[in-house]
Amino acid sequence: MQNKKQSPKERIRGPKIEVFRKYKEGVSFLKALKLAEEAKMVLVSNIRHDKILTGSDEWKSMEDVYACHTGTITGYEEKNKELGKEIVYTDPKTKQRYIFPTGDAEGSKNVILVAEHPDYELVKDGKDLIVKASISIIDILENFPVSDGWYKTDEKHGIPLGKEVSSDNRDARNLWRAEGARVGSVVRGYYFLDYKDRHGVFLKDVPSDGLGVAVEAP
């Protein structure tokens, strides 16, 4: 059933997808969050984009949104390094620092923290931007791969995990991750939108990249 907007905290939700910003009119992830907040919209999650790109031909009707930011934000540390109290990432283009508090994940290795829009916000703390979300809605996913490749994904967020598998596996997705730590959105739909690109889960782009944005619609 469609949720109706009744208070400033509620958002317009729905099963359909609307192109909010085309790729050629792309905005940064921070700007995408701000625009969605102003419009009471919800950024489409990675798992929903995955169904669009790999589960049907739906992507053909919205090609102009790709490549795009998703509403799925993640944070991970460099491979084989234990998490401290927070993951610190600096956008190499703008030098803006993003911080993802680790909570119960402190001390873990090769995990990825995940939250979905609108259940988090980026809060200014001095010059830093802090990922603020309830501990209960941040998922800690274990066995996050230490290198690029093809992997199966978790059912909730569509994040590649576990051991590498064949690209012929229909459930496999092509992971692209940064060498070091990163905090930012999952990006989907690069290049020519062929099989490899539509199955790509990009976790190495910088938040200041100007990309498309899609939102939920009734």
Side-chain angles (χ1 to χ4, degrees), residues 72-84 86-90 98-102 105 108-115 131 138-148 159-161 175-187 201-207:
T72 305
I73 192 170
T74 65
Y76 61 84
E77 190 52 88
E78 64 181 276
K79 64 180 181 180
N80 301 322
K81 180 179 178 179
E82 284 190 3
L83 292 185
E86 55 192 24
I87 299 167
V88 180
Y89 169 72
T90 302
Y98 293 81
I99 296 177
F100 203 137
T102 58
S108 301
K109 292 182 180 180
N110 301 326
V111 300
I112 185 168
L113 309 185
V114 189
V131 180
I138 296 176
D139 288 321
I140 304 167
L141 305 184
E142 298 180 340
N143 299 314
F144 182 57
V146 298
S147 61
D148 296 346
I159 302 298
L161 300 172
L175 171 66
W176 295 80
R177 61 159 290 168
E179 286 292 326
R182 178 186 182 268
V183 176
S185 71
V186 179
V187 173
V201 179
F202 300 91
L203 288 165
K204 65 189 304 180
D205 300 83
V206 301

Side-chain angles (χ1 to χ4, degrees), residues 47-62:
I47 197 74
R48 181 66 179 91
H49 275 291
D50 192 73
K51 293 176 181 177
I52 293 170
L53 290 164
T54 70
S56 69
D57 288 332
E58 188 178 359
W59 59 273
K60 293 181 178 180
S61 66
M62 50 186 294

Side-chain angles (χ1 to χ4, degrees), residues 21-63:
R21 286 292 184 278
K22 297 179 181 179
Y23 172 64
K24 66 181 181 180
E25 302 164 347
V27 296
S28 68
F29 181 52
L30 188 60
K31 182 68 172 180
L33 290 174
K34 181 179 179 181
L35 292 172
E37 176 71 28
E38 293 171 348
K40 300 295 189 291
M41 296 288 194
V42 175
L43 302 185
V44 176
S45 67
N46 174 59
I47 197 74
R48 181 66 179 91
H49 275 291
D50 192 73
K51 293 176 181 177
I52 293 170
L53 290 164
T54 70
S56 69
D57 288 332
E58 188 178 359
W59 59 273
K60 293 181 178 180
S61 66
M62 50 186 294
E63 285 184 80

Side-chain angles (χ1 to χ4, degrees), residues 115-134:
E116 299 287 358
H117 192 255
D119 295 331
Y120 64 85
E121 55 184 333
L122 292 179
V123 178
K124 196 78 173 177
D125 182 9
K127 294 183 178 181
D128 296 333
L129 287 172
I130 314 294
V131 180
K132 184 179 179 181
S134 168

